[in-house]
Amino acid sequence: MEPDAQLVQLCLRGDGPAWEELVRRHARRVYGLCYRFTGNRASAEDLSQEVFLRVYRTLASYQSGQGAFSTWLTSVSRNLLIDHYRRMRRDRLTDSIEDAMPHLEAKHSPGRTPESLAQASELSAQLQQGLARLSPELREAVILRDLQGLEYNEIQVVLQVPEGTVKSRINRGRIELARILDQMGMRPA
Amino acid sequence: MDWNCAFTEERLSDFLDGALAPAERAALSAHAAQCEGCGQTVARVGAMVRGLRELAPVEEPPYLVAKILRGTLGARASERTWERWLGWLLEIGQPRFAMGVATVAVCLAIVLHVAAPRMKNVKAADLHPVNVLRATNRQAHLTYARGVKFVNDLRVVYEIQSRFASQPEPAASPAPGPESNPTTVEPRDRSQSRPRPGNRDSRFGDLVVTTSHSERMSNTWTRSLS
């Protein structure tokens, strides 16, 4: 499998299949980030398309020496998410980001029973509700760290804030989210 | 090491991420074992972080990649037909599309309820072209007659309002004589208020004539059409 930087170079030479491979490789990650941040599947879908459209147009500005392609992609996604959040806040719709239908996203491994799948789905929906109640600053920090699995230095690049701020936001976000989930009567095992 | 609750809260993420120095780690663990509040916080946040990390990544919709590629590279000849159809089918299953369809359906239902003929009363003879034409013609004339009547009624109301508005205010102590009688209203233009048949009230002579005329016209229309 070719590394992302090589695929980017091929894309810049007009290689369609290379772009397709890049999209297939990162679509889930981008969609997951958008969904976790907005809590809405339709918005996440629109935003994912917008992210890739912007990436396609500005691909030449990516420099592999400055970091991994996935980090750059996350930065682009995050900027669009913040724009989206501000738009929503202006429209006074920020509070209604709970999705009516929780997305079934449990791992479909054969060893899992229907009960455990249902539990995982319920857990996911409750976590999503808890995330929606966090402030956007804390929410994005927790999502990037605990759901997207980014390292502190990568989050620092994405958020464009010092490492101390990243750590502080993650710490406060986790404690606040745990408190919210506790208030909701949810206690992860 | 002298550890307290504020330190625990401040360094909790470092503790959970394994980024604390061994001495600090031991101090935090010892404090959490003694302090009930800190012990609960560490356990609760730790369990939540584990839960978040064990969550499977959210699966993107199956047509998302195709839509992104269509939006960036344009429609591809190599794209399989079933993928395109699947994309459309899944797209129309979206809540916003369903809401749009529901709105259109409700509007159509209202329009049909008002405008469409009652299907229960329809007989076989009604479907004959001559009868259909006659019924349509009748409906059109009825609608026109109702419209005329409505406009005439509006005119009557407007004229009544105008007459009342043009009436002078009654004086507190009316002086005798025809000039000072507040109940007597002189027509503004006598040439337009000549007596006509059906004029039962000198004050609203024009009105009565207009009303009876419009009613007669509407009734004539309705009778002739029915």
Side-chain angles (χ1 to χ4, degrees), chain A:
Chain A
M1 188 184 285
E2 294 183 56
D4 288 342
Q6 217 166 329
L7 285 175
V8 171
Q9 290 305 316
L10 289 171
C11 289
L12 289 173
R13 282 183 226 136
D15 189 336
W19 170 247
E20 185 173 340
E21 175 61 25
L22 261 187
V23 173
R24 287 194 189 282
R25 207 178 271 188
H26 295 283
R28 180 164 300 180
R29 180 189 185 79
V30 170
Y31 178 80
L33 179 61
C34 295
Y35 174 68
R36 288 300 183 195
F37 193 84
T38 61
N40 182 291
R41 283 193 287 168
S43 299
E45 194 186 315
D46 290 345
L47 283 163
S48 304
Q49 288 183 69
E50 217 174 309
V51 167
F52 279 103
L53 198 62
R54 184 173 288 190
V55 166
Y56 188 74
R57 286 179 184 150
T58 57
L59 203 54
S61 67
Y62 166 67
Q63 290 170 344
S64 56
Q66 288 179 348
F69 174 76
S70 60
T71 309
W72 182 71
L73 182 63
T74 308
S75 295
V76 175
S77 311
R78 186 257 176 185
N79 290 339
L80 277 169
L81 284 169
I82 293 296
D83 288 347
H84 171 76
Y85 172 78
R86 287 180 183 146
R87 259 197 325 266
M88 295 288 283
R89 192 172 56 176
R90 257 203 317 272
D91 298 344
R92 296 172 184 276
L93 291 170
T94 319
D95 294 333
S96 60
I97 59 176
E98 291 173 12
D99 203 352
M101 297 167 63
H103 196 42
L104 187 67
E105 56 195 319
K107 285 173 183 163
H108 294 287
S109 57
R112 301 194 87 181
T113 61
E115 289 80 12
S116 67
L117 284 173
Q119 279 172 0
S121 174
E122 191 183 352
L123 180 77
S124 170
Q126 284 179 320
L127 278 171
Q128 191 62 51
Q129 286 177 23
L131 279 171
R133 287 168 61 180
L134 273 185
S135 73
E137 277 183 354
L138 302 185
R139 192 191 317 166
E140 66 183 0
V142 172
I143 291 172
L144 291 176
R145 176 67 187 149
D146 293 327
L147 288 167
Q148 298 272 308
L150 264 64
E151 296 299 329
Y152 282 96
N153 58 349
E154 290 175 316
I155 299 173
Q156 190 185 338
V157 172
V158 171
L159 301 185
Q160 298 285 308
V161 291
E163 192 178 347
T165 311
V166 170
K167 281 188 171 181
S168 164
R169 285 186 189 174
I170 290 171
N171 196 41
R172 281 192 292 138
R174 282 172 170 173
I175 293 171
E176 182 66 14
L177 182 58
R179 192 185 58 77
I180 291 169
L181 294 176
D182 197 43
Q183 280 177 350
M184 290 166 60
M186 181 189 169
R187 293 174 189 276

Side-chain angles (χ1 to χ4, degrees), chain A residues 23-24, chain B residues 62-71 74 76 79 83:
Chain A
V23 173
R24 287 194 189 282
Chain B
Y63 51 86
L64 180 64
V65 171
K67 280 176 86 172
I68 292 168
L69 294 175
R70 253 204 313 274
R76 293 169 304 148
E79 196 176 338
E83 276 184 344

Side-chain angles (χ1 to χ4, degrees), chain B residues 49-82:
Chain B
V49 170
R50 279 195 301 278
L52 286 176
R53 289 181 178 170
E54 282 171 9
L55 273 183
V58 184
E59 283 184 24
E60 76 279 14
Y63 51 86
L64 180 64
V65 171
K67 280 176 86 172
I68 292 168
L69 294 175
R70 253 204 313 274
T72 49
L73 299 176
R76 293 169 304 148
S78 62
E79 196 176 338
R80 281 167 290 205
T81 316
W82 70 266

